[in-house]
Amino acid sequence: MFDVNQVHAGPSGDLLTPDNSVMVFVDHQPQMFFGVGSGDRTAVINATVGLAKAARAFDVPAVLTTVAAESFSGPILPQLAEVFPGHEVIDRTSMNAWEDEALVEAVKVTGRRKIILSGLWTEVCLVLPALSALEQGYEVYVVSDASGGVSPAAHEHAVQRMLAAGAVPVTWIQVLLELQRDWAREETYGAVMEVVKEHAGAYGMGVVYAQAVIGAHAAG
């Protein structure tokens, strides 16, 4: 029941923070990108790298995984690997990443309950671990623009299936700004602005303009 006396200035416990979340990148690989037909593949790559840089900026744990890297799908996206140099990439045989013990253990060891999930393809390698993690009590946030399916319908239907099971749809820029949440958080402000300028399109150009014309902190 609503009680106005309990109203106060403070964040919702549902919000993503650098301390309560883990990012899982599933099968961002050449062979998987070849089959993406739900949207512009360059845009998916841009969103994926922007999301990865958000993880790096806020020191959010990241789990990287591939499927059949050496026999079929190829290595993880080079731009993604560059964000996490030397990071272990868990290769699997299972289409459902949540059936791989090494991946599940990598998520468990972080102690985080909110999984920020992206991957290819949405209708297989994303929906299967999402449903599995949800059933086991995790909160799953699906980064729709850093993911792609073989067709618009395949992507959309998979997203709807995950939402029906309790997943939350987000975009990479939404995740970045939710992690920042306060422009007075100076320790990450500069890194966030760099990610925005590199990957946020017109918003990024607006930051470039504002900083050049008004000043270095004009964007926040």
Side-chain angles (χ1 to χ4, degrees), residues 22-24 61-64 87-88 90 98 100-112 138:
V22 54
M23 292 197 192
V24 180
V63 178
L64 311 180
H87 198 294
E88 178 188 10
I90 301 170
W98 207 259
D100 186 272
E101 292 185 7
L103 181 135
V104 173
E105 186 58 33
V107 173
K108 287 172 62 178
V109 77
T110 69
R112 314 296 179 85
Y138 281 90

PDB file of all heavy atoms in Angstrom, residues 22-24 61-64 87-88 90 98 100-112 138:
ATOM      1  N   VAL A  22      26.371  -8.322 -13.640  1.00  0.00           N
ATOM      2  CA  VAL A  22      27.415  -8.998 -14.401  1.00  0.00           C
ATOM      3  C   VAL A  22      26.978  -9.017 -15.862  1.00  0.00           C
ATOM      4  O   VAL A  22      25.797  -9.188 -16.150  1.00  0.00           O
ATOM      5  CB  VAL A  22      27.660 -10.432 -13.874  1.00  0.00           C
ATOM      6  CG1 VAL A  22      26.374 -11.236 -13.838  1.00  0.00           C
ATOM      7  CG2 VAL A  22      28.703 -11.162 -14.708  1.00  0.00           C
ATOM      8  N   MET A  23      27.908  -8.795 -16.767  1.00  0.00           N
ATOM      9  CA  MET A  23      27.577  -8.824 -18.187  1.00  0.00           C
ATOM     10  C   MET A  23      28.011 -10.151 -18.794  1.00  0.00           C
ATOM     11  O   MET A  23      29.120 -10.625 -18.541  1.00  0.00           O
ATOM     12  CB  MET A  23      28.249  -7.676 -18.924  1.00  0.00           C
ATOM     13  CG  MET A  23      27.721  -6.309 -18.550  1.00  0.00           C
ATOM     14  SD  MET A  23      28.191  -5.072 -19.778  1.00  0.00           S
ATOM     15  CE  MET A  23      27.745  -3.564 -18.881  1.00  0.00           C
ATOM     16  N   VAL A  24      27.142 -10.740 -19.605  1.00  0.00           N
ATOM     17  CA  VAL A  24      27.444 -11.984 -20.302  1.00  0.00           C
ATOM     18  C   VAL A  24      27.280 -11.746 -21.805  1.00  0.00           C
ATOM     19  O   VAL A  24      26.197 -11.370 -22.269  1.00  0.00           O
ATOM     20  CB  VAL A  24      26.529 -13.131 -19.835  1.00  0.00           C
ATOM     21  CG1 VAL A  24      26.869 -14.405 -20.593  1.00  0.00           C
ATOM     22  CG2 VAL A  24      26.669 -13.350 -18.328  1.00  0.00           C
ATOM     23  N   PRO A  61      31.923  -7.069 -13.821  1.00  0.00           N
ATOM     24  CA  PRO A  61      32.452  -8.346 -14.307  1.00  0.00           C
ATOM     25  C   PRO A  61      31.828  -8.728 -15.640  1.00  0.00           C
ATOM     26  O   PRO A  61      30.632  -8.516 -15.865  1.00  0.00           O
ATOM     27  CB  PRO A  61      32.048  -9.338 -13.210  1.00  0.00           C
ATOM     28  CG  PRO A  61      31.799  -8.512 -11.998  1.00  0.00           C
ATOM     29  CD  PRO A  61      31.291  -7.189 -12.490  1.00  0.00           C
ATOM     30  N   ALA A  62      32.648  -9.284 -16.526  1.00  0.00           N
ATOM     31  CA  ALA A  62      32.163  -9.703 -17.838  1.00  0.00           C
ATOM     32  C   ALA A  62      32.516 -11.165 -18.071  1.00  0.00           C
ATOM     33  O   ALA A  62      33.617 -11.607 -17.753  1.00  0.00           O
ATOM     34  CB  ALA A  62      32.764  -8.842 -18.940  1.00  0.00           C
ATOM     35  N   VAL A  63      31.558 -11.896 -18.611  1.00  0.00           N
ATOM     36  CA  VAL A  63      31.769 -13.291 -19.005  1.00  0.00           C
ATOM     37  C   VAL A  63      31.643 -13.348 -20.518  1.00  0.00           C
ATOM     38  O   VAL A  63      30.619 -12.947 -21.084  1.00  0.00           O
ATOM     39  CB  VAL A  63      30.745 -14.230 -18.333  1.00  0.00           C
ATOM     40  CG1 VAL A  63      30.952 -15.666 -18.810  1.00  0.00           C
ATOM     41  CG2 VAL A  63      30.847 -14.141 -16.811  1.00  0.00           C
ATOM     42  N   LEU A  64      32.696 -13.820 -21.178  1.00  0.00           N
ATOM     43  CA  LEU A  64      32.711 -13.930 -22.634  1.00  0.00           C
ATOM     44  C   LEU A  64      32.621 -15.397 -23.026  1.00  0.00           C
ATOM     45  O   LEU A  64      33.354 -16.229 -22.488  1.00  0.00           O
ATOM     46  CB  LEU A  64      33.997 -13.340 -23.206  1.00  0.00           C
ATOM     47  CG  LEU A  64      34.425 -11.946 -22.732  1.00  0.00           C
ATOM     48  CD1 LEU A  64      35.719 -11.534 -23.416  1.00  0.00           C
ATOM     49  CD2 LEU A  64      33.330 -10.920 -22.989  1.00  0.00           C
ATOM     50  N   HIS A  87      41.374 -11.656 -21.440  1.00  0.00           N
ATOM     51  CA  HIS A  87      40.220 -12.220 -20.736  1.00  0.00           C
ATOM     52  C   HIS A  87      39.912 -13.617 -21.271  1.00  0.00           C
ATOM     53  O   HIS A  87      39.966 -13.859 -22.471  1.00  0.00           O
ATOM     54  CB  HIS A  87      39.015 -11.311 -20.950  1.00  0.00           C
ATOM     55  CG  HIS A  87      37.903 -11.509 -19.969  1.00  0.00           C
ATOM     56  ND1 HIS A  87      37.164 -12.669 -19.900  1.00  0.00           N
ATOM     57  CD2 HIS A  87      37.391 -10.687 -19.012  1.00  0.00           C
ATOM     58  CE1 HIS A  87      36.246 -12.552 -18.961  1.00  0.00           C
ATOM     59  NE2 HIS A  87      36.372 -11.361 -18.401  1.00  0.00           N
ATOM     60  N   GLU A  88      39.607 -14.535 -20.368  1.00  0.00           N
ATOM     61  CA  GLU A  88      39.231 -15.888 -20.790  1.00  0.00           C
ATOM     62  C   GLU A  88      37.942 -15.855 -21.608  1.00  0.00           C
ATOM     63  O   GLU A  88      36.984 -15.168 -21.251  1.00  0.00           O
ATOM     64  CB  GLU A  88      39.026 -16.796 -19.580  1.00  0.00           C
ATOM     65  CG  GLU A  88      38.581 -18.201 -19.949  1.00  0.00           C
ATOM     66  CD  GLU A  88      38.180 -19.044 -18.750  1.00  0.00           C
ATOM     67  OE1 GLU A  88      38.064 -18.495 -17.637  1.00  0.00           O
ATOM     68  OE2 GLU A  88      37.965 -20.262 -18.942  1.00  0.00           O
ATOM     69  N   ILE A  90      35.142 -18.477 -22.823  1.00  0.00           N
ATOM     70  CA  ILE A  90      34.662 -19.844 -22.586  1.00  0.00           C
ATOM     71  C   ILE A  90      34.016 -20.377 -23.857  1.00  0.00           C
ATOM     72  O   ILE A  90      32.986 -19.874 -24.305  1.00  0.00           O
ATOM     73  CB  ILE A  90      33.642 -19.865 -21.425  1.00  0.00           C
ATOM     74  CG1 ILE A  90      34.284 -19.331 -20.139  1.00  0.00           C
ATOM     75  CG2 ILE A  90      33.095 -21.280 -21.212  1.00  0.00           C
ATOM     76  CD1 ILE A  90      33.293 -19.096 -19.012  1.00  0.00           C
ATOM     77  N   TRP A  98      23.753 -21.781 -20.682  1.00  0.00           N
ATOM     78  CA  TRP A  98      23.488 -22.090 -19.277  1.00  0.00           C
ATOM     79  C   TRP A  98      23.601 -23.592 -18.991  1.00  0.00           C
ATOM     80  O   TRP A  98      23.485 -24.026 -17.855  1.00  0.00           O
ATOM     81  CB  TRP A  98      22.131 -21.556 -18.838  1.00  0.00           C
ATOM     82  CG  TRP A  98      22.081 -21.269 -17.364  1.00  0.00           C
ATOM     83  CD1 TRP A  98      21.525 -22.042 -16.386  1.00  0.00           C
ATOM     84  CD2 TRP A  98      22.628 -20.139 -16.682  1.00  0.00           C
ATOM     85  NE1 TRP A  98      21.689 -21.479 -15.153  1.00  0.00           N
ATOM     86  CE2 TRP A  98      22.360 -20.300 -15.296  1.00  0.00           C
ATOM     87  CE3 TRP A  98      23.317 -18.995 -17.094  1.00  0.00           C
ATOM     88  CZ2 TRP A  98      22.752 -19.373 -14.330  1.00  0.00           C
ATOM     89  CZ3 TRP A  98      23.705 -18.062 -16.138  1.00  0.00           C
ATOM     90  CH2 TRP A  98      23.423 -18.255 -14.789  1.00  0.00           C
ATOM     91  N   ASP A 100      26.433 -25.042 -19.819  1.00  0.00           N
ATOM     92  CA  ASP A 100      27.879 -25.179 -19.739  1.00  0.00           C
ATOM     93  C   ASP A 100      28.330 -24.860 -18.312  1.00  0.00           C
ATOM     94  O   ASP A 100      28.125 -23.744 -17.819  1.00  0.00           O
ATOM     95  CB  ASP A 100      28.546 -24.226 -20.730  1.00  0.00           C
ATOM     96  CG  ASP A 100      30.046 -24.429 -20.790  1.00  0.00           C
ATOM     97  OD1 ASP A 100      30.760 -23.797 -19.977  1.00  0.00           O
ATOM     98  OD2 ASP A 100      30.504 -25.227 -21.617  1.00  0.00           O
ATOM     99  N   GLU A 101      28.936 -25.835 -17.650  1.00  0.00           N
ATOM    100  CA  GLU A 101      29.301 -25.667 -16.242  1.00  0.00           C
ATOM    101  C   GLU A 101      30.297 -24.537 -16.030  1.00  0.00           C
ATOM    102  O   GLU A 101      30.203 -23.789 -15.043  1.00  0.00           O
ATOM    103  CB  GLU A 101      29.866 -26.968 -15.693  1.00  0.00           C
ATOM    104  CG  GLU A 101      28.824 -28.083 -15.577  1.00  0.00           C
ATOM    105  CD  GLU A 101      29.389 -29.333 -14.921  1.00  0.00           C
ATOM    106  OE1 GLU A 101      30.546 -29.288 -14.431  1.00  0.00           O
ATOM    107  OE2 GLU A 101      28.678 -30.359 -14.888  1.00  0.00           O
ATOM    108  N   ALA A 102      31.248 -24.378 -16.931  1.00  0.00           N
ATOM    109  CA  ALA A 102      32.255 -23.333 -16.774  1.00  0.00           C
ATOM    110  C   ALA A 102      31.624 -21.940 -16.831  1.00  0.00           C
ATOM    111  O   ALA A 102      31.976 -21.046 -16.050  1.00  0.00           O
ATOM    112  CB  ALA A 102      33.332 -23.466 -17.848  1.00  0.00           C
ATOM    113  N   LEU A 103      30.664 -21.758 -17.739  1.00  0.00           N
ATOM    114  CA  LEU A 103      30.010 -20.455 -17.842  1.00  0.00           C
ATOM    115  C   LEU A 103      29.172 -20.164 -16.601  1.00  0.00           C
ATOM    116  O   LEU A 103      29.245 -19.068 -16.030  1.00  0.00           O
ATOM    117  CB  LEU A 103      29.130 -20.387 -19.087  1.00  0.00           C
ATOM    118  CG  LEU A 103      28.433 -19.029 -19.253  1.00  0.00           C
ATOM    119  CD1 LEU A 103      28.535 -18.540 -20.676  1.00  0.00           C
ATOM    120  CD2 LEU A 103      26.980 -19.078 -18.802  1.00  0.00           C
ATOM    121  N   VAL A 104      28.386 -21.136 -16.174  1.00  0.00           N
ATOM    122  CA  VAL A 104      27.549 -20.916 -14.986  1.00  0.00           C
ATOM    123  C   VAL A 104      28.417 -20.621 -13.771  1.00  0.00           C
ATOM    124  O   VAL A 104      28.109 -19.731 -12.970  1.00  0.00           O
ATOM    125  CB  VAL A 104      26.637 -22.138 -14.735  1.00  0.00           C
ATOM    126  CG1 VAL A 104      25.893 -21.986 -13.419  1.00  0.00           C
ATOM    127  CG2 VAL A 104      25.652 -22.313 -15.885  1.00  0.00           C
ATOM    128  N   GLU A 105      29.527 -21.320 -13.643  1.00  0.00           N
ATOM    129  CA  GLU A 105      30.426 -21.077 -12.512  1.00  0.00           C
ATOM    130  C   GLU A 105      31.021 -19.672 -12.593  1.00  0.00           C
ATOM    131  O   GLU A 105      31.192 -18.996 -11.567  1.00  0.00           O
ATOM    132  CB  GLU A 105      31.541 -22.123 -12.486  1.00  0.00           C
ATOM    133  CG  GLU A 105      32.434 -22.041 -11.261  1.00  0.00           C
ATOM    134  CD  GLU A 105      31.668 -22.195  -9.950  1.00  0.00           C
ATOM    135  OE1 GLU A 105      30.661 -22.936  -9.928  1.00  0.00           O
ATOM    136  OE2 GLU A 105      32.089 -21.562  -8.952  1.00  0.00           O
ATOM    137  N   ALA A 106      31.344 -19.224 -13.802  1.00  0.00           N
ATOM    138  CA  ALA A 106      31.897 -17.878 -13.981  1.00  0.00           C
ATOM    139  C   ALA A 106      30.903 -16.809 -13.552  1.00  0.00           C
ATOM    140  O   ALA A 106      31.286 -15.766 -13.008  1.00  0.00           O
ATOM    141  CB  ALA A 106      32.299 -17.672 -15.442  1.00  0.00           C
ATOM    142  N   VAL A 107      29.613 -17.040 -13.801  1.00  0.00           N
ATOM    143  CA  VAL A 107      28.583 -16.101 -13.350  1.00  0.00           C
ATOM    144  C   VAL A 107      28.412 -16.193 -11.842  1.00  0.00           C
ATOM    145  O   VAL A 107      28.359 -15.180 -11.141  1.00  0.00           O
ATOM    146  CB  VAL A 107      27.241 -16.380 -14.063  1.00  0.00           C
ATOM    147  CG1 VAL A 107      26.131 -15.513 -13.472  1.00  0.00           C
ATOM    148  CG2 VAL A 107      27.362 -16.132 -15.557  1.00  0.00           C
ATOM    149  N   LYS A 108      28.364 -17.398 -11.319  1.00  0.00           N
ATOM    150  CA  LYS A 108      28.150 -17.594  -9.884  1.00  0.00           C
ATOM    151  C   LYS A 108      29.244 -16.947  -9.052  1.00  0.00           C
ATOM    152  O   LYS A 108      28.973 -16.347  -8.005  1.00  0.00           O
ATOM    153  CB  LYS A 108      28.067 -19.091  -9.559  1.00  0.00           C
ATOM    154  CG  LYS A 108      26.791 -19.770 -10.007  1.00  0.00           C
ATOM    155  CD  LYS A 108      26.868 -21.281  -9.835  1.00  0.00           C
ATOM    156  CE  LYS A 108      27.060 -21.680  -8.379  1.00  0.00           C
ATOM    157  NZ  LYS A 108      27.085 -23.160  -8.226  1.00  0.00           N
ATOM    158  N   VAL A 109      30.484 -17.062  -9.489  1.00  0.00           N
ATOM    159  CA  VAL A 109      31.607 -16.573  -8.689  1.00  0.00           C
ATOM    160  C   VAL A 109      31.593 -15.054  -8.533  1.00  0.00           C
ATOM    161  O   VAL A 109      32.189 -14.516  -7.608  1.00  0.00           O
ATOM    162  CB  VAL A 109      32.945 -17.051  -9.310  1.00  0.00           C
ATOM    163  CG1 VAL A 109      33.323 -16.229 -10.538  1.00  0.00           C
ATOM    164  CG2 VAL A 109      34.064 -16.995  -8.266  1.00  0.00           C
ATOM    165  N   THR A 110      30.883 -14.351  -9.404  1.00  0.00           N
ATOM    166  CA  THR A 110      30.788 -12.898  -9.266  1.00  0.00           C
ATOM    167  C   THR A 110      29.910 -12.483  -8.095  1.00  0.00           C
ATOM    168  O   THR A 110      30.017 -11.371  -7.588  1.00  0.00           O
ATOM    169  CB  THR A 110      30.214 -12.246 -10.543  1.00  0.00           C
ATOM    170  OG1 THR A 110      28.832 -12.601 -10.699  1.00  0.00           O
ATOM    171  CG2 THR A 110      30.999 -12.662 -11.775  1.00  0.00           C
ATOM    172  N   GLY A 111      28.991 -13.368  -7.704  1.00  0.00           N
ATOM    173  CA  GLY A 111      28.073 -13.045  -6.629  1.00  0.00           C
ATOM    174  C   GLY A 111      26.979 -12.075  -7.039  1.00  0.00           C
ATOM    175  O   GLY A 111      26.217 -11.600  -6.190  1.00  0.00           O
ATOM    176  N   ARG A 112      26.882 -11.801  -8.332  1.00  0.00           N
ATOM    177  CA  ARG A 112      25.879 -10.840  -8.828  1.00  0.00           C
ATOM    178  C   ARG A 112      24.625 -11.588  -9.268  1.00  0.00           C
ATOM    179  O   ARG A 112      24.711 -12.672  -9.847  1.00  0.00           O
ATOM    180  CB  ARG A 112      26.425 -10.031 -10.001  1.00  0.00           C
ATOM    181  CG  ARG A 112      27.850  -9.476  -9.794  1.00  0.00           C
ATOM    182  CD  ARG A 112      27.920  -8.476  -8.659  1.00  0.00           C
ATOM    183  NE  ARG A 112      29.258  -7.966  -8.438  1.00  0.00           N
ATOM    184  CZ  ARG A 112      29.807  -6.938  -9.090  1.00  0.00           C
ATOM    185  NH1 ARG A 112      29.138  -6.331 -10.065  1.00  0.00           N
ATOM    186  NH2 ARG A 112      31.012  -6.521  -8.779  1.00  0.00           N
ATOM    187  N   TYR A 138      17.763 -15.807 -11.259  1.00  0.00           N
ATOM    188  CA  TYR A 138      18.493 -14.615 -11.682  1.00  0.00           C
ATOM    189  C   TYR A 138      17.541 -13.595 -12.309  1.00  0.00           C
ATOM    190  O   TYR A 138      16.472 -13.942 -12.804  1.00  0.00           O
ATOM    191  CB  TYR A 138      19.582 -14.978 -12.685  1.00  0.00           C
ATOM    192  CG  TYR A 138      20.822 -15.552 -12.042  1.00  0.00           C
ATOM    193  CD1 TYR A 138      20.948 -16.922 -11.849  1.00  0.00           C
ATOM    194  CD2 TYR A 138      21.861 -14.732 -11.622  1.00  0.00           C
ATOM    195  CE1 TYR A 138      22.080 -17.461 -11.255  1.00  0.00           C
ATOM    196  CE2 TYR A 138      22.987 -15.254 -11.021  1.00  0.00           C
ATOM    197  CZ  TYR A 138      23.100 -16.623 -10.838  1.00  0.00           C
ATOM    198  OH  TYR A 138      24.219 -17.146 -10.232  1.00  0.00           O
TER     199      TYR A 138
END
